[in-house]
Amino acid sequence: MITMHLYYTGPADNARVFAEEMEAMGIVDRIRQQAGNQRYQYFAPLDDPHSILLIDSWTDQSALDIHHASPMMQEILDLRNKYQLVVTAERYSSDQDGIPQHDREFIERSD
């Protein structure tokens, strides 16, 4: 699985309004329905009121490429320009073997 962290940053609360409009226009629902989409969800960083984080996960590169070639990408770009947003990205590939046992033990620890 491929996961992208996309940070949308702009003036005032433009990034939050962008995410709200993405939801209201149904673009987010359409993306979530695309074959291979595993997650498409916005988050607000507590330490940055001018940014929104999108966590966007796909089963593989082929599914992500199809998404990038879809007409929705122009809709996203138009909204991004409307709200004067800059985007920075981080890309992650999932570990095929999952979370190592020693990491799971730490995560599940309760003391």
Side-chain angles (χ1 to χ4, degrees):
M1 182 165 53
I2 297 169
T3 297
M4 300 292 296
H5 286 188
L6 301 170
Y7 297 88
Y8 292 88
T9 303
D13 62 348
N14 284 12
R16 181 177 296 273
V17 176
F18 161 82
E20 290 169 355
E21 190 165 341
M22 287 282 294
E23 294 273 357
M25 291 179 64
I27 298 170
V28 169
D29 286 335
R30 286 186 282 143
I31 292 169
R32 289 177 179 151
Q33 293 171 12
Q34 285 184 293
N37 183 262
Q38 300 293 301
R39 181 178 197 179
Y40 197 92
Q41 191 171 19
Y42 291 102
F43 295 89
L46 295 176
D47 63 345
D48 185 356
H50 303 289
S51 294
I52 286 290
L53 165 64
L54 169 63
I55 298 180
D56 185 20
S57 296
W58 297 85
T59 53
D60 55 30
Q61 186 62 51
S62 177
L64 183 56
D65 290 343
I66 291 168
H67 167 63
H68 284 157
S70 74
M72 285 178 278
M73 294 308 295
Q74 186 61 52
E75 293 177 76
I76 295 168
L77 182 58
D78 290 346
L79 283 178
R80 199 171 90 187
N81 290 335
K82 174 183 175 180
Y83 290 107
Q84 303 169 359
L85 301 178
V86 174
V87 179
T88 56
E90 299 168 347
R91 178 185 166 109
Y92 303 93
S93 295
S94 294
D95 181 352
Q96 296 300 317
D97 296 324
I99 299 172
Q101 181 61 34
H102 63 278
D103 288 340
R104 278 197 304 264
E105 289 170 5
F106 176 78
I107 292 167
E108 296 167 2
R109 201 163 103 192
S110 63
D111 58 319

